[in-house]
Amino acid sequence: MPPKLDPNVISIVYLRAVGGEVGATASLAPKIGPLGLSPKKVGDDIAKATTEWKGLKITVKLTIQNRQAQVSVVPTASSLVIRALKEAPRDRKKVKHVKHSGNVSFDEILNIARTMRPRSQARNLAGTVREILGTAQSVGCTVDGQPPHDVIDKVNEGEYNVPAE
């Protein structure tokens, strides 16, 4: 039998979940079962914490201490861009392969870049803005009515003013 876990140790588990939905407990059990938590209870906590991200795939951080799970949402760049499009939530089971053809303002791209800045690999905020614009291109939306790659070129040339930090 494995040794008992120390209850004071803080363990962190990252999961991908669909916002506002209770995930399959079968996928949670191998990750959090050994830590002494009930997968059903943690699944309900995740669904409660991700209600404002309804219908989007989102990364969730579980901080576990004393057999208590703290749920916090760690948004990805793509989920922030899709959320900025302000699309109506839809049923994942019925609607597949969605094209996100909306328009996002450059100010919203700046806000998303500021949110993602601590996790970005770029040296400055302009690099993070370019990362987010690349994500917007892969999502399939436009920025200020233009393709995101044109906006990346304008950021490189200095036509779009990006603050230092």
Side-chain angles (χ1 to χ4, degrees), residues 111-123:
N111 290 338
I112 293 170
R114 285 191 182 101
T115 306
M116 294 296 293
R117 184 74 190 110
R119 293 191 292 142
S120 170
Q121 299 293 318
R123 275 183 292 179

Side-chain angles (χ1 to χ4, degrees), residues 1-5 34:
M1 207 168 113
K4 276 281 190 204
L5 280 164

Side-chain angles (χ1 to χ4, degrees), residues 75-155:
T76 57
S78 58
S79 57
L80 285 168
V81 169
I82 293 170
R83 188 178 183 195
L85 289 171
K86 296 179 180 68
E87 294 177 341
R90 65 193 158 265
D91 191 6
R92 286 186 321 125
K93 293 175 179 68
K94 292 179 184 154
V95 184
K96 302 274 193 218
H97 308 299
V98 178
K99 295 276 188 275
H100 302 284
S101 58
N103 189 32
V104 181
S105 72
F106 189 72
D107 293 334
E108 287 184 272
I109 295 287
L110 275 175
N111 290 338
I112 293 170
R114 285 191 182 101
T115 306
M116 294 296 293
R117 184 74 190 110
R119 293 191 292 142
S120 170
Q121 299 293 318
R123 275 183 292 179
N124 52 20
L125 186 63
T128 309
V129 167
R130 288 191 292 265
E131 284 180 6
I132 302 301
L133 287 166
T135 305
Q137 182 169 350
S138 64
V139 164
C141 63
T142 57
V143 178
D144 288 339
Q146 314 173 57
H149 208 277
D150 295 352
V151 180
I152 291 173
D153 293 339
K154 289 182 180 179
V155 168

Side-chain angles (χ1 to χ4, degrees), residues 1-112:
M1 207 168 113
K4 276 281 190 204
L5 280 164
D6 183 16
N8 297 324
V9 173
I10 298 173
S11 52
I12 296 173
V13 179
Y14 287 96
L15 304 164
R16 290 280 283 169
V18 178
E21 293 182 17
V22 179
T25 53
S27 63
L28 283 174
K31 295 179 185 81
I32 61 172
L35 301 171
L37 290 161
S38 157
K40 184 172 181 355
K41 183 175 170 290
V42 172
D44 293 339
D45 291 347
I46 290 172
K48 201 178 297 159
T50 60
T51 49
E52 62 188 49
W53 298 89
K54 190 156 180 57
L56 293 177
K57 274 235 174 203
I58 194 84
T59 307
V60 176
K61 176 182 176 184
L62 294 175
T63 310
I64 300 162
Q65 184 178 21
N66 294 338
R67 294 184 63 196
Q68 295 293 314
Q70 230 68 40
V71 180
S72 58
V73 175
V74 183
T76 57
S78 58
S79 57
L80 285 168
V81 169
I82 293 170
R83 188 178 183 195
L85 289 171
K86 296 179 180 68
E87 294 177 341
R90 65 193 158 265
D91 191 6
R92 286 186 321 125
K93 293 175 179 68
K94 292 179 184 154
V95 184
K96 302 274 193 218
H97 308 299
V98 178
K99 295 276 188 275
H100 302 284
S101 58
N103 189 32
V104 181
S105 72
F106 189 72
D107 293 334
E108 287 184 272
I109 295 287
L110 275 175
N111 290 338
I112 293 170

